[in-house]
Amino acid sequence: MKSRTPKVLHTLCGRTLLGHAIAAADELDPSRLVVVVGHGRELVSAEVAAATPQALVVCQDQQLGTGHAVRMVSEAIGVVPGTVVVTYGDMPLLRGQTLRELVDIHHRAGNAVTVLTARGDSAGYGRIVRDSGGAFLRIVEERDATPQERAIDEYNSGCYAFDGALLADAIKRVTTDNQQQQEYLTDVVGILHGDGHQVGTMLAADAGEISGVNDRVQLAQARRALNDRILDGWMRAGVTITDPASTWIDVTVTIGQDAEIGPQTQLQGSTAVAEGATIGPGCLLEDTSVGADAVVLHAVCRHAEIGPRATVGPFAYLRPGASIAEDAHIGTYVELKKAVIGPGAKVPHLSYVGDATVGAGANIGAGTIFANYDGVAKHHTTVGEHAFIGSNTVLAAPVTIGDGAYTAAGSAITDDVPAGDLGIARGRQHNSDRWVARNRAQTRSADAARRDRSDDPV
């Protein structure tokens, strides 16, 4: 990956590569989940602990092959009764459903091991070698394969379902007699086959599921494939996605029926969009809830709450702690931070509202600033129900504007305004008569003024 970040911690569609692998494995409801870590073990172990606290982490001090990794687990926890499923942390497209089918086939056939295989471009993968009747013979790694074996199009995914007791015995007998001098897990399959145990295979319905990620090009390809799968699922569930090519939705997002997602929209994290809501075009929502029939246009919303039928944007920025009640309106070039906007309230234009509570039906005039920071600490502002804040007002927190109160446009309000009062905090206007004629006599402004006042008595 050419990165400071361990490969399995690179992200796509809301989870790390490892997170996707764990999620697929969790769908089997395993009695025990073990993650083998090597490179970047501190960071990877922390991710495992955060994603799945019940998982056991086993360290592979030396990366001596897939068989060696499994042997480390066997030595750490002993013989595992029942079925052991082995999968990989860099296969984010593998579905839990596919692993379930692998286990079901393994159980029904009574196999010692069942290998998940695929057909297609087999470059880089171990080939499945069969006899003339189609029965499994062995797996041969590409580096050790003959030209004839390399021409085989059925290949090994690296995922297996094993009989736990047989695996524990066979893993001890794996050697490093190969070009890479590593312990191949594929050799366990050969050992079990040689011992006369039954080896079976399951052909993956979608070869793309077992595609590994080894560089950033493959990461981008996997991200696109997974996003397409997510979008397909939501559209089939009753969500309109206007332009799938420009829409990105994380696996952790939820969307209600009849919602509409416009072009150039990204829904990330725990974002939840209720039925009938319209999001986009041009939106980024992260960990944000959107109520039924709300409309969000050209907005960035992070850790925010948007109520039913509320409207946001275009070009609004909702920062963490922004909470907008039903039927409220947040308009163009408005920024909210830790602000609770009451039902039906309006902040239509060019305003900053931080550390504030705005009551139901209140109107915040264009250009209003909630001055919440005094250089040392943040302070709160309260605007009462149906209050009217005049355009270009500065509310210097802490301050309270009472229910039904007004502030005059252009005021800098530093004291509370009681309910129903008008707060005025600005200098009285004075017009200096004929100032331009006296001070800018040779300018175009003076010429224009003379024309306009040509009939005025001197």
Side-chain angles (χ1 to χ4, degrees):
M1 304 300 283
K2 298 182 179 178
S3 173
R4 293 171 294 179
T5 302
K7 179 175 74 169
V8 295
L9 298 188
H10 284 260
T11 61
L12 66 165
C13 300
R15 290 190 183 124
T16 62
L17 291 171
L18 178 59
H20 286 290
I22 289 175
D26 271 342
E27 290 189 38
L28 297 177
D29 191 23
S31 59
R32 180 172 249 174
L33 180 63
V34 183
V35 180
V36 182
V37 300
H39 173 67
R41 68 188 62 181
E42 295 83 5
L43 293 173
V44 176
S45 297
E47 168 71 10
V48 174
T52 314
Q54 71 273 20
L56 173 67
V57 173
V58 171
C59 291
Q60 185 186 18
D61 292 325
Q62 294 179 287
Q63 284 73 67
L64 300 177
T66 52
H68 180 259
V70 173
R71 182 160 63 83
M72 294 300 97
V73 175
S74 181
E75 293 178 0
I77 67 176
V79 177
V80 178
T83 300
V84 174
V85 174
V86 178
T87 183
Y88 291 85
D90 62 355
M91 293 168 56
L93 300 178
L94 182 62
R95 304 174 194 258
Q97 176 185 344
T98 300
L99 291 178
R100 170 57 64 192
E101 292 172 0
L102 177 67
V103 171
D104 289 345
I105 288 174
H106 177 75
H107 288 167
R108 288 198 305 268
N111 293 331
V113 55
T114 306
V115 185
L116 179 64
T117 71
R119 289 191 183 277
D121 182 3
S122 56
Y125 292 92
R127 309 304 202 272
I128 303 298
V129 181
R130 299 181 181 275
D131 64 20
S132 57
F136 176 90
L137 283 179
R138 66 184 182 277
I139 301 171
V140 59
E141 295 298 329
E142 184 171 74
R143 291 191 180 187
D144 303 308
T146 66
Q148 292 78 14
E149 290 169 336
R150 290 183 183 182
I152 297 171
D153 70 345
E154 184 181 13
Y155 55 93
N156 176 29
S157 70
C159 295
Y160 311 88
F162 286 101
D163 177 284
L166 295 176
L167 171 63
D169 172 67
I171 197 69
K172 301 173 185 177
R173 294 186 271 158
V174 174
T175 71
T176 58
D177 185 19
N178 52 68
Q179 283 195 3
Q180 292 183 287
Q181 295 186 321
Q182 292 188 346
E183 298 177 33
Y184 291 158
L185 188 56
T186 50
D187 287 351
V188 173
V189 180
I191 290 170
L192 293 175
H193 186 261
D195 288 347
H197 295 294
Q198 185 165 301
V199 175
T201 62
M202 172 188 148
L203 186 66
D206 178 7
E209 282 192 46
I210 63 175
S211 298
V213 171
N214 293 302
D215 57 37
R216 298 192 194 232
V217 173
Q218 292 176 341
L219 179 64
Q221 292 167 344
R223 182 180 290 114
R224 168 56 69 186
L226 184 54
N227 189 67
D228 287 346
R229 181 192 297 175
I230 294 167
L231 299 185
D232 182 84
W234 284 121
M235 288 187 284
R236 295 184 187 281
V239 175
T240 295
I241 299 177
T242 308
D243 181 23
S246 67
T247 302
W248 295 87
I249 299 177
D250 284 354
V251 293
T252 46
V253 169
T254 59
I255 310 175
Q257 286 186 351
D258 292 319
E260 182 171 342
I261 312 301
Q264 301 293 332
T265 293
Q266 298 180 54
L267 304 180
Q268 300 178 345
S270 61
T271 293
V273 178
E275 61 182 19
T278 299
I279 311 297
C283 288
L284 169 61
L285 272 60
E286 176 187 347
D287 299 326
T288 293
S289 63
V290 181
D293 301 308
V295 177
V296 185
L297 304 174
H298 292 289
V300 174
C301 309
R302 302 182 186 277
H303 302 269
E305 299 177 359
I306 301 169
R309 301 175 304 281
T311 57
V312 175
F315 310 116
Y317 182 20
L318 307 189
R319 292 167 58 190
S323 179
I324 303 163
E326 63 271 17
D327 302 303
H329 172 60
I330 306 300
T332 306
Y333 299 114
V334 172
E335 180 178 346
L336 269 60
K337 190 272 295 184
K338 288 186 179 178
V340 178
I341 309 299
K346 298 178 181 180
V347 189
H349 324 281
L350 302 161
S351 297
Y352 172 70
V353 183
D355 295 280
T357 302
V358 177
N363 188 92
I364 310 300
T368 295
I369 297 172
F370 285 60
N372 55 332
Y373 184 49
D374 63 6
V376 176
K378 300 289 182 70
H379 301 281
H380 195 81
T381 296
T382 300
V383 175
E385 294 184 2
H386 300 286
F388 188 97
I389 306 302
S391 296
N392 209 35
T393 293
V394 176
L395 301 174
V399 68
T400 297
I401 310 301
D403 291 348
Y406 277 55
T407 66
S411 294
I413 303 296
T414 58
D415 297 315
D416 293 350
V417 179
D421 282 7
L422 168 65
I424 306 175
R426 64 187 186 200
R428 184 178 294 276
Q429 180 174 329
H430 167 75
N431 296 338
S432 181
D433 187 53
R434 299 182 186 277
W435 182 92
V436 172
R438 295 194 304 273
N439 295 277
R440 300 289 188 270
Q442 305 303 317
T443 65
R444 294 179 182 177
S445 298
D447 293 341
R450 277 194 298 273
R451 289 194 298 269
D452 187 60
R453 303 182 66 156
S454 60
D455 296 332
D456 285 1
V458 179

